[in-house]
Amino acid sequence: MLMIIAPTLWSIAGVITRHLEAARGFEITFWRSLFSAIAVAMVLIGQQGITRAAATVRSTGWAGVLSGMMWCVMFVCFMIALTKTTVANTLIVMSVAPLLTALLAWLILKQQIPARTWLAIAAASLGILWMFVNGLSDVGGQHLIGMLIAAAVPVASAVNLIILKRVGHGVDLMPAVFLGSVFSVVLMLPFAWPLQASLHDVGLLAVLGFFQLGFPCLLMVRAAKSLSAPEVALLALLEVLLGPLWTWLGAGEVPARETLMGGGVVMAALILNELAALRAQSGKKARVGSVADPTA
């Protein structure tokens, strides 16, 4: 459930940015990351107090810093890519994240990937490609640069998920989201200056920072403790599916027929994969119960 809520919140970015007045590009990333850092800091301090929260951030060690760097890459490269190419082209590149995550989990974690997950990844990827097939145009020049920059997002996402699973329960990596936000703020400030956002824009960007970036990223970190890395990456595709829907409802951008058809394929892949996972878990528990209780 947490990994369904997280991409649902991520998906509101498009509709909210459509209503910005003056903030653009680097400044959007700066304000969004700043408010994300504040949101995560509030959660950590609320849970642990200032002294213990600071100690927790320091105790994350190399894993926390590396995970924070991956969050920073995702926060920054997504917005930079959008300044160079279309949203459709960016999302097409980002949709390879589940495949990269599955490959890294297989290679590094030696994790056996169920056939159902591979099939779901393939079906979801085809659905997303179908959704945006008309958007993959003018891939030369600036568009090609933008897509190359966007390629850093799924790579960073896959590496980050492997870090989360490799460290496991030994280190609390929720502070890594805070570090990633701070890294992003520091990197973006020189490019965003002088700041031009109106109070209206700052208010919307605060919503993005708190509810579209900070909190859902924390939910993903928590969900990663219970789900496999490929499952987390696969469920994250809900962002790509829901984003056009919210923009349609909230900004009047009517999705094409391809978007609706491809979105149906993605939704079906996600639902069938999760139902199969639940069925497999139920079957495993039943077998364990029958072994424990010979009369069962």
Side-chain angles (χ1 to χ4, degrees):
M1 289 302 300
L2 293 179
M3 201 51 228
I4 291 174
I5 295 171
T8 300
L9 292 174
W10 287 334
S11 68
I12 67 175
V15 64
I16 291 180
T17 54
R18 290 294 186 272
H19 296 284
L20 294 174
E21 295 175 343
R24 294 293 182 270
F26 296 122
E27 188 174 0
I28 294 175
T29 305
F30 166 78
W31 284 111
R32 190 178 69 146
S33 299
L34 177 62
F35 286 114
S36 173
I38 294 173
V40 177
M42 289 174 58
V43 171
L44 293 175
I45 293 173
Q47 291 178 341
Q48 306 174 11
I50 296 178
T51 303
R52 188 179 171 191
T56 301
V57 173
R58 292 194 297 269
S59 68
T60 56
W62 68 267
V65 173
L66 185 56
S67 178
M69 292 173 62
M70 295 302 102
W71 284 115
C72 177
V73 170
M74 288 184 277
F75 296 165
V76 172
C77 288
F78 176 71
M79 293 309 306
I80 294 179
L82 290 181
T83 66
K84 302 293 184 181
T85 188
T86 64
V87 173
N89 289 351
T90 302
L91 291 174
I92 289 172
V93 175
M94 289 173 56
S95 68
V96 304
L99 179 59
L100 292 178
T101 303
L103 291 174
L104 288 180
W106 178 58
L107 291 171
I108 298 176
L109 302 179
K110 308 302 180 183
Q111 187 176 48
Q112 295 298 318
I113 310 300
R116 60 175 173 79
T117 301
W118 286 113
L119 290 173
I121 290 171
S125 298
L126 289 174
I128 291 172
L129 287 174
W130 178 257
M131 285 170 67
F132 301 110
V133 65
N134 293 327
L136 193 60
S137 59
D138 299 326
V139 294
Q142 286 288 95
H143 289 275
L144 180 58
I145 293 174
M147 294 179 73
L148 290 175
I149 294 172
V153 178
V155 173
S157 175
V159 172
N160 195 32
L161 284 172
I162 297 303
I163 294 171
L164 294 175
K165 298 304 296 184
R166 187 69 175 266
V167 174
H169 297 275
V171 178
D172 184 3
L173 287 183
M174 292 179 68
V177 180
F178 171 76
L179 293 176
S181 300
V182 172
F183 294 159
S184 179
V185 169
V186 173
L187 282 176
M188 289 295 98
L189 182 57
F191 299 101
W193 196 265
L195 302 177
Q196 300 178 356
S198 63
L199 289 177
H200 170 269
D201 288 353
V202 172
L204 291 179
L205 291 169
V207 172
L208 285 181
F210 276 80
F211 301 107
Q212 187 270 330
L213 196 60
F215 291 152
C217 288
L218 293 179
L219 296 181
M220 195 210 79
V221 173
R222 185 67 67 187
K225 294 183 178 181
S226 302
L227 298 173
S228 70
E231 284 179 320
V232 173
L234 187 61
L235 286 170
L237 290 180
L238 280 170
E239 176 189 7
V240 183
L241 172 63
L242 295 175
L245 175 62
W246 305 143
T247 308
W248 174 27
L249 297 176
E253 293 186 6
V254 181
R257 182 180 63 179
E258 289 79 7
T259 299
L260 297 176
M261 295 176 63
V265 173
V266 174
M267 183 65 76
L270 295 176
I271 292 175
L272 291 175
N273 181 67
E274 290 310 304
L275 289 177
L278 291 173
R279 184 175 181 180
Q281 291 175 1
S282 299
K284 184 177 180 180
K285 289 179 180 179
R287 289 193 297 271
V288 172
S290 63
V291 172
D293 182 4
T295 64

